[in-house]
Amino acid sequence: MQHYNFAISLNDSNNVIHGNAGITFIAKQNADKVYFDLVSLDKTTGKGMKVMQVSEGNTALKFSQDNDHVNIYFNDPLQINKQENKIARDSCRER
């Protein structure tokens, strides 16, 4: 990962936080998916993050989220040493 940024908004009436994460990275090998560490939403405590959408520009990308990762899948494999820019939209609730 070369760079990331977060834009966050908070709703004080229900404690829901919405955010956008921009991620810039360079692939070190050809791949049709990448993953990033991210703590998933814990339904018991309500803490953590749930990714709602992943996109590149205006194009939505397929993704999945497990315990501590967001997996992003590509139709066209990533090329070695090519810079990639992705945006993940997520939501979380602090109780």
Side-chain angles (χ1 to χ4, degrees):
M1 183 177 321
Q2 292 206 296
H3 179 75
Y4 64 90
N5 62 38
F6 289 97
I8 297 173
S9 63
L10 169 66
N11 184 329
D12 287 331
S13 64
N14 61 13
N15 289 336
V16 172
I17 300 169
H18 289 280
N20 288 334
I23 302 169
T24 302
F25 65 95
I26 293 178
K28 297 298 182 187
Q29 62 185 23
N30 291 334
D32 58 358
K33 84 171 192 177
V34 296
Y35 74 88
F36 297 99
D37 295 337
L38 181 71
V39 176
S40 297
L41 185 63
D42 183 318
K43 293 180 182 179
T44 305
T45 65
K47 294 183 179 182
M49 297 285 218
K50 178 180 180 184
V51 175
M52 310 299 282
Q53 178 183 16
V54 176
S55 61
E56 180 176 26
N58 293 326
T59 303
L61 298 175
K62 292 179 185 177
F63 73 95
S64 64
Q65 185 173 8
D66 56 33
N67 292 336
D68 292 319
H69 299 104
V70 174
N71 305 290
I72 303 172
Y73 304 93
F74 304 99
N75 292 328
D76 298 318
L78 299 175
Q79 297 175 3
I80 295 174
N81 295 324
K82 181 181 176 204
Q83 181 172 305
E84 303 287 340
N85 300 296
K86 309 296 176 234
I87 297 174
R89 291 175 173 75
D90 40 62
S91 176
C92 71
R93 180 182 301 259
E94 179 70 35
R95 292 186 180 193

